[in-house]
Amino acid sequence: VSPSSLGFQLHVWFGSLIVGKLTAPAMSTDGRVQMVKLAFEQADTNKDGKLDRKELSRIFAFIRCKLNDRQKDQLFDEADADKSGYLNYNEFIDWCVSVGTVTSEVADMAKADTSG
């Protein structure tokens, strides 16, 4: 399975189950930004400000996305732009944009919003 088709599948699963409200027409852009932040914060179970493979894997399990370990690793590696072995907040947002879960406008606002 190619990363782009996995990305499409994740857009459907991720967008509809974890941050489905992001696609709700009535939700404001500010509301969408808050939903992205909340998704990241909930995934970051150890609260270190980054997601490891296990935390991202929990997202997949939570949204009932059936991926094998190789597919999970492939998606993680694709999202880990700096190859640190973790997804920081900006990488997570960029990944959400790449799979179509959020727009560039929402991503830019989310990156600029440093409020808790």
Side-chain angles (χ1 to χ4, degrees):
V1 178
S2 71
S4 59
S5 63
L6 282 174
F8 174 75
Q9 291 171 11
L10 284 175
H11 166 62
V12 172
W13 289 315
F14 190 73
S16 65
L17 294 172
I18 226 178
V19 287
K21 294 180 182 176
L22 290 173
T23 59
M27 181 172 273
S28 70
T29 301
D30 287 340
R32 294 168 201 261
V33 168
Q34 293 308 310
M35 291 298 292
V36 170
K37 290 176 66 174
L38 181 62
F40 183 84
E41 289 168 2
Q42 289 182 347
D44 182 17
T45 57
N46 66 1
K47 305 303 178 205
D48 64 355
K50 55 192 176 186
L51 303 180
D52 60 26
R53 289 175 190 273
K54 189 174 184 179
E55 288 168 324
L56 190 63
S57 189
R58 284 188 190 121
I59 291 175
F60 299 141
F62 177 76
I63 61 176
R64 295 182 179 96
C65 180
K66 296 183 190 274
L67 299 173
N68 64 40
D69 289 341
R70 184 183 55 77
Q71 292 168 321
K72 290 176 195 175
D73 285 342
Q74 183 179 6
L75 286 168
F76 188 93
D77 291 342
E78 182 180 310
D80 184 15
D82 66 4
K83 305 303 178 206
S84 66
Y86 298 95
L87 300 185
N88 63 41
Y89 181 63
N90 287 344
E91 288 172 325
F92 176 76
I93 293 169
D94 290 342
W95 179 67
C96 289
V97 171
S98 76
V99 298
T101 304
V102 300
T103 64
S104 295
E105 177 188 13
V106 170
D108 291 345
M109 290 179 67
K111 289 178 182 180
D113 182 0
T114 57
S115 63

